[in-house]
Amino acid sequence: MEFQTDTPIYLQIATDIKQQILKGALCPGDKLFSVREYSILYEVSPLTVQRALQQLELEGVIYARKGVGSFVNHGMQENLRRQMVAVQAAEFVARMRNCGLTKAQIRKLVEQSLNEEGME
Amino acid sequence: MLAMLKWEITKTVRRLGWICIGYLLLLCLLWVLPAGAGRIGWMQPLLLTSSTFLALGAFAGMLYPTWNMVSYFSKDSYFMERLTGVPYWKVMLAKLPAGAGELLFMMAAARAGEALMAKFCVASSHGYFSMNLSASDPVFFLEAAVFVPVMFTFFYLLFSERIKSFRMFAAFLPTVILLTGINKNGDFGWKFYTGAAVLLALMLWRAGGIASKHYE
Amino acid sequence: MDELLQMRGVRKGYGGAYIFQNLDLTVSKGRIVGLIGDNGTGKTTLLRLMAGLIPPDDGEVIRQESILGKSGISYLADSSWFYGWMKVRDAVSFYSNFYQDFDVNKARLLLQESSIEPGKKIRHLSAGEAQRLCMILAVSRKAGLYLMDEPASGMDPAFKKKLKHFLLSCLPEGAAVIMATHLLKDLETLFDDVILLKGGEALCLRTEEIREKCHKSVEEYYLEVRNNAGNA
């Protein structure tokens, strides 16, 4: 996985694991890889992985069982989805703002795109 | 310590292994040749070459223990020797037996060579290789295996503080002077050996002090 | 006690010029540290001082024997250090002979995977193979601290790509690493901390702090620092 090096890497790893949960690659109750396995997978230091897992635990996405490993928490998918969607929306708006669009223009753009999609 | 000893012996064997085998083969050859070979014209160059080889080998063999001690400080082997983190004095102590072993082999081979070459001597021709030492064999062995290496290393390091470029030669001089003094005046009794042991130990210890402080 | 090694007031110079005048540095357990600096800033000297291969002119280098063990620092050797007569297996038995923490089987396995023949003379190996050999020897030791001086230099491009993977999978858990490199772009995701060397001073920083507070990559940050030093 390619990391952006100007934002904390542990957050990017945490986000990646959250996306895996959303996509269904990781299900509630699933056991996550070990710190060492993730460190080799992402090619980052083990401490970075530890920090990422700590962050996920803090957010209630995973829980840790001492001596066994970390597991995906139950019932937080909806929250996660809302969280990820909100982040995406905020990023989109920020990008549109950067292009110089006003609030009205952004709304119009979204409507146009929805109509093209043929969504309800 | 044991590891260092094993390593020093391995080094010596690997460095000189082929030369020693060559030496032994030469001795075998000399043993097999009949005494009459000395009179055959075309054998002369062969015998002379053998003689030279034996002489050079003996000379180099005498200096190897000293060279081995001092090689610790050469740029090529610098890191290899220090990578292990073994303290200087242990390294030096481990080098002595390795050098002594080599010297033993060399002296035995040289004496054998001497005896073998003697049979080729004809009354009219010159003598071939023979080894005449300034002292008896055991004493010579002690000097070349222990005295000279330690003394030379000591002077080498002593001078490295001041004259960096010529210390090889500079260390050679006082060593030879000391050695000559020992051979002339040493009574080789127990008092002598005790005194010598103390002096050498002091030299080794002091050399170690200099080495750890100044050496790059 | 989290400190493996401490350098206090270290001074070191060559031929009249001082590289470090008064260096203070601490190395902590389990962190992977990048040692960054231009050529000539003293990366190699610093690593050698840490390993005890060269003595400081002044000051002290304190190693926590209790955590590190007797010779618990694994220094990545340079292939040129090995004697001319040494074969690959001689180097393996050298390490096995001197280091109790050396895992011979691990080394042999890694050598096999790298297609390096034990019977080959070290000076007959290609530059990439020789560098890999030294790397394998270093990581087959179970040390508390690994010191590497530009490990990627001299390596085949193919192995360079796999270097991070190799290190992360071969180094024991909780190992501390100090790696001097100029390949910040490729390796910065590996580092927990960086030590930036400029003008005889060492600047120690956490990589995540740089990213979080300055919104820059470590590489960008270093270039800024380096150029400021030039203008000052």
Side-chain angles (χ1 to χ4, degrees):
Chain A
M1 178 176 152
E2 283 295 322
F3 290 110
Q4 282 184 289
T5 48
D6 54 1
T7 53
I9 295 182
Y10 77 94
L11 286 177
Q12 294 176 55
I13 293 179
T15 308
D16 190 58
I17 295 179
K18 279 194 256 185
Q19 277 177 342
Q20 284 178 45
I21 297 173
L22 276 178
K23 281 194 211 144
L26 280 171
C27 300
D30 275 356
K31 182 167 184 285
L32 269 72
F33 289 143
S34 69
V35 169
R36 191 177 171 86
E37 284 167 333
Y38 274 129
S39 113
I40 296 172
L41 190 68
Y42 287 117
E43 293 192 341
V44 296
S45 82
L47 289 177
T48 306
V49 173
Q50 254 176 25
R51 186 117 189 248
L53 295 180
Q54 274 167 8
Q55 179 69 23
L56 289 172
E57 219 185 323
L58 212 70
E59 293 180 15
V61 178
I62 63 172
Y63 65 94
R65 272 225 292 254
K66 232 190 171 142
V68 190
S70 296
F71 297 84
V72 180
N73 228 338
H74 296 263
M76 18 92 316
Q77 272 143 310
E78 204 35 57
N79 271 345
L80 252 187
R81 195 186 313 279
R82 262 186 246 141
Q83 198 192 79
M84 298 293 267
V85 168
V87 166
Q88 295 272 20
E91 278 176 7
F92 169 74
V93 169
R95 258 179 291 167
M96 292 299 107
R97 291 303 223 152
N98 270 345
C99 293
L101 296 169
T102 64
K103 246 203 271 186
Q105 282 171 315
I106 297 175
R107 260 196 222 113
K108 205 169 174 198
L109 198 67
V110 173
E111 291 256 12
Q112 260 181 321
S113 182
L114 281 172
N115 288 338
E116 279 171 29
E117 284 276 317
M119 283 171 69
E120 289 301 302
Chain B
M1 183 68 195
L2 218 66
M4 200 69 223
L5 192 63
K6 186 174 163 206
W7 170 239
E8 283 298 325
I9 293 174
T10 305
K11 262 203 288 181
T12 304
V13 168
R14 296 298 290 271
R15 273 173 178 158
L16 306 177
W18 288 116
I19 299 176
C20 290
I21 290 179
Y23 225 87
L24 287 172
L25 283 174
L26 180 64
L27 290 177
C28 285
L29 180 69
L30 293 174
W31 187 32
V32 161
L33 284 175
R39 271 170 286 193
I40 303 174
W42 57 265
M43 287 295 280
Q44 295 285 345
L46 175 70
L47 291 175
L48 275 172
T49 318
S50 310
S51 199
T52 317
F53 185 68
L54 289 172
L56 285 174
F59 186 65
M62 268 193 273
L63 296 178
Y64 177 79
T66 306
W67 176 83
N68 190 25
M69 290 281 262
V70 171
S71 73
Y72 184 75
F73 307 101
S74 92
K75 253 208 159 114
D76 298 328
S77 35
Y78 179 84
F79 287 113
M80 195 75 225
E81 305 266 344
R82 273 172 191 64
L83 195 63
T84 61
V86 177
Y88 165 79
W89 65 271
K90 276 194 184 170
V91 177
M92 292 290 133
L93 273 183
K95 283 184 187 278
L96 290 175
E102 177 272 337
L103 192 64
L104 203 65
F105 174 86
M106 186 286 290
M107 286 183 75
R111 286 294 179 216
E114 202 179 10
L116 287 171
M117 293 236 76
K119 74 178 179 189
F120 299 119
C121 284
V122 185
S124 51
S125 76
H126 51 265
Y128 287 108
F129 169 71
S130 74
M131 198 162 75
N132 292 318
L133 301 170
S134 49
S136 69
D137 277 4
V139 172
F140 177 80
F141 176 79
L142 187 66
E143 288 178 352
V146 183
F147 287 19
V148 176
V150 175
M151 292 195 289
F152 187 82
T153 307
F154 173 74
F155 288 118
Y156 183 83
L157 285 172
L158 203 64
F159 293 137
S160 73
E161 288 182 310
R162 281 145 249 221
I163 351 160
K164 263 210 160 149
S165 352
F166 295 107
R167 46 188 173 194
M168 264 296 191
F169 181 72
F172 192 57
L173 228 54
T175 308
V176 168
I177 294 172
L178 256 183
L179 196 67
T180 323
I182 288 174
N183 281 330
K184 282 222 170 91
N185 306 317
D187 61 359
F188 297 102
W190 70 269
K191 267 192 270 180
F192 168 81
Y193 283 121
T194 321
V198 169
L199 180 66
L200 291 173
L202 275 172
M203 281 182 152
L204 205 62
W205 175 74
R206 180 81 185 96
I210 302 175
S212 59
K213 254 188 291 165
H214 290 267
Y215 233 89
E216 284 296 299
Chain C
M1 177 77 89
D2 262 352
E3 294 156 5
L4 293 176
L5 194 148
Q6 258 189 322
M7 298 178 85
R8 285 203 217 133
V10 167
R11 191 163 58 141
K12 187 68 188 176
Y14 290 110
Y18 280 116
I19 299 182
F20 304 116
Q21 295 265 27
N22 192 5
L23 189 70
D24 291 315
L25 200 72
T26 305
V27 176
S28 303
K29 214 164 49 158
R31 301 186 76 86
I32 303 183
V33 182
L35 182 59
I36 321 291
D38 285 345
N39 289 335
T41 47
K43 301 194 295 274
T44 303
T45 307
L46 185 60
L47 288 174
R48 288 186 182 165
L49 283 166
M50 285 181 184
L53 288 173
I54 56 174
D57 292 340
D58 204 2
E60 42 183 2
V61 181
I62 308 164
R63 293 177 198 93
Q64 295 300 343
E65 301 291 337
S66 52
I67 306 182
L68 280 175
K70 228 183 126 211
S71 53
I73 299 183
S74 181
Y75 191 93
L76 180 70
D78 189 276
S79 57
S80 65
W81 296 356
F82 295 118
Y83 291 115
W85 51 265
M86 286 177 86
K87 297 186 181 152
V88 171
R89 65 166 85 101
D90 294 322
V92 173
S93 53
F94 176 84
Y95 270 72
S96 145
N97 191 31
F98 281 106
Y99 302 117
Q100 315 297 77
D101 54 23
F102 187 73
D103 187 343
V104 184
N105 295 321
K106 180 175 176 182
R108 290 208 185 115
L109 194 67
L110 289 172
L111 285 170
Q112 228 179 2
E113 285 173 11
S114 270
S115 319
I116 297 176
E117 295 160 34
K120 217 169 174 186
K121 275 215 171 131
I122 296 178
R123 61 173 168 194
H124 291 157
L125 293 172
S126 71
E129 285 177 318
Q131 184 72 337
R132 255 180 291 152
L133 167 66
C134 295
M135 179 71 82
I136 289 170
L137 290 171
V139 303
S140 297
R141 280 191 58 194
K142 202 176 156 87
L145 175 62
Y146 293 84
L147 299 176
M148 303 189 180
D149 196 355
E150 309 260 7
S153 78
M155 274 191 184
D156 326 310
F159 192 74
K160 243 193 231 186
K161 288 207 183 110
K162 296 193 282 175
L163 180 64
K164 278 193 276 193
H165 185 276
F166 179 82
L167 286 174
L168 289 167
S169 51
C170 293
L171 287 172
E173 272 193 57
V177 180
I178 302 188
M179 187 190 304
T181 182
H182 56 270
L183 291 176
L184 251 187
K185 202 188 190 91
D186 304 315
L187 296 177
E188 72 163 274
T189 57
L190 193 59
F191 300 138
D192 296 312
D193 305 322
V194 279
I195 301 174
L196 306 177
L197 288 183
K198 58 154 189 156
E201 303 275 317
L203 195 61
C204 304
L205 296 158
R206 306 216 146 174
T207 52
E208 294 296 40
E209 245 181 68
I210 296 176
R211 294 188 189 110
E212 224 157 352
K213 300 214 176 116
C214 309
H215 300 292
K216 292 196 182 85
S217 73
V218 179
E219 190 195 12
E220 286 165 8
Y221 185 85
Y222 168 64
L223 289 173
E224 257 185 37
V225 164
R226 199 247 249 133
N227 293 334
N228 282 341
N231 294 334

